[in-house]
């Protein structure tokens, strides 16, 4: 139902706002420069109080410049693997190696600056404009510049679509939340 979707969207927006207000923590770990290799070696993960491992002995290389997909049945550990790769969880066993060094040896923000995650069930902040949806997520920069927004649209092949919208970047992401002067949404 649209009311259930509204509750979920508002909860996500509240979570995002809470996340954005977490103070950035300084790290004394070295910054990660250009990423030349990503390797996962014998990675295992068990949630606290779980009776079995969620992931067991996973190994793979990610060639730089490649596109990969993580595919599996519900409950197979895909989201857990992503959280491990993001550095949000620490493996129970094994290693995630970036440039042949353990992921956790680097400043976490310098790793996060190299990442972009688009999940299958992505979140679209429906009460916001297309511009706001594009600029959400850059945690070190509170306000995005026009050139960054433009580059993001070009890099994601969204510019042609956005240029055709009645209000361009100022179009609302969903039609259920239109202001008095809004006539169309993406």
């Amino acid at each position: 139902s649209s009311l259930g979707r509204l509750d979920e969207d508002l909860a996500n927006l509240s979570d995002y706002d809470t996340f954005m207000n977490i103070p950035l923590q300084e790290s004394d770990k070295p910054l990660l420069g250009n990423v030349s290799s990503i390797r996962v070696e014998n990675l295992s993960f068990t949630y606290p109080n779980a009776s079995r491992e969620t992931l067991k002995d996973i190994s793979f290389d990610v060639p730089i410049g490649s596109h990969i997909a993580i595919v599996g049945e519900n409950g197979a550990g895909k989201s857990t693997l992503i959280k491990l790769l993001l550095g949000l969880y620490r493996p129970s066993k094994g290693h995630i190696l970036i440039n042949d060094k353990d992921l956790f040896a680097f400043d976490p923000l310098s790793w996060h600056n190299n990442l972009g995650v688009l999940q299958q069930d992505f979140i679209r902040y429906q009460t916001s404009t297309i511009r706001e949806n594009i600029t959400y997520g850059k945690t070190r920069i509170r306000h995005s510049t026009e050139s960054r927004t433009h580059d993001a649209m070009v890099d994601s092949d969204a510019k042609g679509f956005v240029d055709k919208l009645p209000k361009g970047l100022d179009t609302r992401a969903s039609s259920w939340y239109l202001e008095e002067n809004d006539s169309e949404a993406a």
Side-chain angles (χ1 to χ4, degrees):
S1 79
S2 60
L3 187 54
R5 182 71 193 162
L6 172 60
D7 288 343
E8 184 178 329
D9 287 339
L10 292 175
N12 287 333
L13 192 56
S14 175
D15 289 346
Y16 178 81
D17 189 51
T18 300
F19 173 75
M20 290 302 292
N21 286 311
I22 295 172
L24 295 176
Q25 295 183 358
E26 296 297 321
S27 172
D28 57 356
K29 295 179 180 178
L31 298 177
L32 174 64
N34 292 331
V35 175
S36 59
S37 66
I38 300 172
R39 188 169 65 245
V40 174
E41 288 185 347
N42 305 315
L43 189 71
S44 296
F45 182 80
T46 305
Y47 283 97
N49 303 319
S51 60
R52 64 177 183 87
E53 293 174 305
T54 301
L55 298 173
K56 184 175 182 179
D57 201 27
I58 306 288
S59 296
F60 60 89
D61 290 320
V62 180
I64 299 305
S66 65
H67 296 120
I68 64 166
I70 299 171
V71 180
E73 295 179 15
N74 287 342
K78 300 179 301 290
S79 295
T80 301
L81 178 59
I82 294 296
K83 290 172 185 173
L84 285 158
L85 290 170
L86 292 172
L88 301 175
Y89 292 173
R90 287 187 177 263
S92 304
K93 296 178 192 165
H95 301 280
I96 299 168
L97 302 171
I98 311 300
N99 300 343
D100 295 320
K101 294 185 180 175
D102 192 273
L103 166 65
F104 295 99
F106 296 106
D107 175 285
L109 291 176
S110 67
W111 171 236
H112 293 161
N113 283 335
N114 285 280
L115 301 174
V117 175
L118 178 62
Q119 295 182 339
Q120 181 178 348
D121 186 21
F122 65 91
I123 298 170
R124 177 173 66 168
Y125 295 105
Q126 298 186 28
T127 61
S128 303
T129 64
I130 300 299
R131 179 188 324 276
E132 291 165 336
N133 272 265
I134 291 171
T135 59
Y136 285 147
K138 189 69 174 173
T139 58
R140 286 189 152 202
I141 300 170
R142 291 293 180 187
H143 301 287
S144 182
T145 65
E146 287 300 314
S147 65
R148 264 196 208 89
T149 302
H150 177 268
D151 291 349
M153 286 192 307
V154 170
D155 290 347
S156 65
D157 292 329
K159 186 163 179 1
F161 169 78
V162 172
D163 286 346
K164 292 177 186 173
L165 295 172
K167 292 186 173 185
L169 287 168
D170 295 318
T171 304
R172 295 277 170 197
S174 180
S175 60
W176 70 261
Y177 182 81
L178 295 176
E179 293 181 359
E180 286 181 25
N181 298 327
D182 288 339
S183 59
E184 296 190 32

